[in-house]
Amino acid sequence: MPRIDEKLLPIFEDVLRRNAGESEFHQAVEEVLESLGCVISKHPEYADNALIERICEPERQIIFRVPWVDDKGQVRINRGFRVQFNSALGPYKGGLRFHPSVNVGIIKFLGFEQTFKNALTGMPIGGGKGGSDFNPRGRSDGEIMRFCQSFMTELYRHLGEYTDVPAGDIGVGGREIGFLFGQYKRLTNRYEAGVLTGKGLNYGGSRARTEATGYGAVYFVDQMMRTRGTSFEGKRAVVSGSGNVAIYTIEKIHEFGGKAIACSDSSGYIVDENGIDLELLKEVKFNRRGRVRDYAALRGNGVHHSEKGSIWAVPCEVAMPSATQNELDGTDAQTLIKNGLIAVGEGANMPSTPDAIRQFQEANILFGPAKAANAGGVATSALEMQQNASRDSWTFEETERRLATIMRRIHDSCAETADKYGAPGNYVLGANITGFVRVADAMRSLGVV
Ligand code: NDP
């Protein structure tokens, strides 16, 4: 396992000191710096002018109060965040997360990852991320709307189609984007469609954006499997989570001839050996906003629901963690490998711990890191911006065709970079270096800003 090169170590120590207690951010920076030692040896110019120090420091961090009134008339206070990480390649771009676990360190790690991911897509977008510690669970539509309106009342002044373009993430889907866009439009008196992505199709959204992250992750894993002469056909897959990313991952796995047999939420996991019934899962999750245990109850016999233990104990050949960060640890990795795993595609951001990644790599498992594997969502957001700018609207097939091409290019550029740096098949190294070089080259052209 590569360690941080001694020339880069002081940079990491500085990150630790200046961002004390932000463990997820430390983890994300450490993984990237571990990949950069060989780049600096070959191209020392990338370390000039404190370029790597600048890449680790967000351009701007905004923290604000979000007051709102619940259905009982009680005033509630949450905290809002937007970390505008890097705009060398284009306007800041990255989702908003509403979850009680959100804090500045989590948003910073997500914004840092997003910068390299967005570069990997080859589209003109910088990196950012935002959100709130607001918990949408159990809140009425009216409460969600009032929260979104209050959140946007502060955030709007920092956004713009050429400045910063948020999208959804955990807890932020089509309903929330609609409320956020409505308030932005009202405050600015502008129909600036390109200021948010993930919009509804009836007001400027792109076809295939909802499906894009999950579909893209499956395209990426398919490309990895082709390098070993295999495919999804007949393979058992386990997909954690049951939100936007997980559901469309399952859909595409089934289209590719695989069988997704397990999924989860924060209250447990289900195993359906016949393959997950996607229509039922969508009904439970999107229409009823229910739990996976409701799926088990409605589907009837043969579905196992567990509130305890790990979904990664379910034997499978393909694992696609699609819930949240650090949800798959070293012990889970060992179990998966023992049970015949061949490939992992990270749908969520940083779902595997460093120990898990090390074990996958040592066991020669195909491992698609989040930056590359889940980049289809933001790539399709960039396609949405393109359609908004040209006042055009493409068919589902056309948009998905472009998504598939982008995922293949991302796969190939990661694989080629890994080969070039003497680590064939190491997609972690390939993704980190490819993303870094694109951002770094732009930053070098722009001077010290
Ligand atoms: P959703 O809110 O639609 O779904 C999240 C799912 O993960 C839910 O099933 C949720 O369960 C589960 N989950 C979330 N947090 C936890 C937790 N702490 N413990 C256990 N389960 C949890 O979010 P998305 O599907 O959009 O996002 C999932 C992941 O994919 C995130 O890491 C996100 O950053 C990443 N991602 C999303 C993109 C997108 O386009 N949406 C793009 C790229 C990456 P419960 O409902 O019980 O909380």
Side-chain angles (χ1 to χ4, degrees):
M1 188 69 174
R3 292 262 163 243
I4 295 181
D5 185 282
E6 59 178 28
K7 287 196 223 62
L8 299 175
L9 211 48
I11 300 176
F12 186 55
E13 284 164 359
D14 218 31
V15 166
L16 295 179
R17 186 181 58 75
R18 302 174 77 210
N19 304 278
E22 297 175 1
S23 59
E24 291 87 359
F25 181 51
H26 303 163
Q27 185 181 334
V29 172
E30 186 171 16
E31 186 204 284
V32 169
L33 293 184
E34 277 180 1
S35 298
L36 297 187
C38 53
V39 182
I40 301 304
S41 310
K42 246 186 174 163
H43 301 285
E45 64 275 16
Y46 281 125
D48 290 348
N49 295 323
L51 191 145
I52 299 175
E53 288 87 332
R54 280 187 285 144
I55 251 179
C56 294
E57 179 70 16
E59 289 176 16
R60 189 174 296 112
Q61 304 181 53
I62 303 146
I63 302 183
F64 51 99
R65 182 173 71 196
V66 189
W68 57 284
V69 182
D70 71 15
D71 284 347
K72 297 195 181 97
Q74 199 179 334
V75 175
R76 306 260 175 182
I77 302 295
N78 285 98
R79 190 171 283 181
F81 303 91
R82 187 73 181 164
V83 173
Q84 299 180 328
F85 221 106
N86 193 300
S87 61
L89 288 171
Y92 308 107
K93 180 90 199 83
L96 297 171
R97 176 177 292 192
F98 292 169
H99 193 271
S101 64
V102 163
N103 58 42
V104 70
I106 288 188
I107 298 299
K108 231 186 260 181
F109 116 67
L110 290 163
F112 182 76
E113 292 275 297
Q114 194 82 45
T115 300
F116 303 102
K117 177 190 312 192
N118 293 3
L120 273 175
T121 66
M123 322 284 280
I125 41 179
K129 199 83 187 187
S132 174
D133 58 1
F134 171 68
N135 186 359
R137 171 95 47 84
R139 291 288 170 200
S140 69
D141 283 355
E143 290 176 317
I144 299 280
M145 182 178 76
R146 290 193 293 279
F147 177 81
C148 288
Q149 289 176 339
S150 180
F151 184 85
M152 187 52 93
T153 299
E154 172 58 34
L155 190 64
Y156 87 98
R157 69 194 81 238
H158 306 288
L159 306 183
E161 63 180 319
Y162 298 109
T163 311
D164 186 348
V165 183
D169 191 80
I170 292 177
V172 178
R175 173 181 59 170
E176 291 75 18
I177 293 291
F179 294 147
L180 291 163
F181 183 68
Q183 185 72 352
Y184 183 86
K185 185 175 77 61
R186 185 180 190 195
L187 288 165
T188 59
N189 194 29
R190 281 159 60 86
Y191 204 103
E192 192 185 332
V195 74
L196 285 167
T197 60
K199 298 183 293 297
L201 293 182
N202 50 359
Y203 64 95
S206 171
R207 293 187 180 81
R209 172 59 187 94
T210 308
E211 296 81 357
T213 308
Y215 279 18
V218 175
Y219 280 120
F220 191 90
V221 172
D222 179 59
Q223 290 292 322
M224 291 199 301
M225 293 209 284
R226 282 166 193 254
T227 66
R228 301 222 177 136
T230 184
S231 73
F232 271 100
E233 194 62 48
K235 303 277 189 311
R236 284 162 61 92
V238 169
V239 182
S240 63
S242 50
N244 170 274
V245 178
I247 284 182
Y248 293 103
T249 294
I250 294 170
E251 187 160 284
K252 193 49 87 180
I253 288 172
H254 289 175
E255 261 181 64
F256 275 19
K259 186 156 85 168
I261 48 156
C263 68
S264 63
D265 58 27
S266 55
S267 63
Y269 69 90
I270 50 151
V271 184
D272 187 342
E273 287 291 345
N274 292 318
I276 287 167
D277 177 340
L278 211 56
E279 288 317 306
L280 181 59
L281 187 62
K282 284 183 182 172
E283 167 62 24
V284 168
K285 285 289 165 179
F286 294 156
N287 296 339
R288 304 187 185 193
R289 296 188 187 273
R291 319 300 301 151
V292 287
R293 81 169 82 83
D294 303 330
Y295 171 97
L298 288 163
R299 180 93 151 133
N301 282 345
V303 178
H304 167 75
H305 171 248
S306 176
E307 285 179 5
K308 292 206 175 70
S310 167
I311 191 172
W312 307 118
V314 180
C316 63
E317 288 143 305
V318 182
M320 301 201 57
S322 306
T324 195
Q325 63 274 359
N326 291 326
E327 53 161 310
L328 193 166
D329 64 17
T331 311
D332 296 323
Q334 269 174 7
T335 311
L336 283 163
I337 294 164
K338 185 168 62 63
N339 286 338
L341 183 75
I342 60 171
V344 180
E346 292 191 319
N349 283 310
M350 208 167 76
S352 313
T353 64
D355 185 23
I357 298 174
R358 187 178 49 76
Q359 304 218 29
F360 290 139
Q361 290 180 331
E362 282 175 9
N364 201 24
I365 303 291
L366 291 165
F367 179 77
K371 277 185 203 78
N374 73 28
V378 73
T380 309
S381 276
L383 298 179
E384 182 173 335
M385 292 162 77
Q386 213 172 312
Q387 292 170 81
N388 293 148
S390 59
R391 302 192 182 281
D392 201 355
S393 167
W394 307 331
T395 62
F396 193 96
E397 292 70 26
E398 168 63 10
T399 318
E400 193 184 347
R401 189 186 59 73
R402 291 185 191 226
L403 166 66
T405 305
I406 292 168
M407 295 315 296
R408 193 171 56 246
R409 284 203 197 118
I410 294 174
H411 171 273
D412 292 353
S413 55
C414 293
E416 281 159 22
T417 304
D419 285 349
K420 183 170 150 195
Y421 282 91
N426 187 338
Y427 292 93
V428 174
L429 195 90
N432 286 339
I433 295 180
T434 309
F436 167 78
V437 167
R438 287 185 189 163
V439 177
D441 283 344
M443 287 176 73
R444 292 178 72 215
S445 304
L446 298 178
V448 177
V449 291

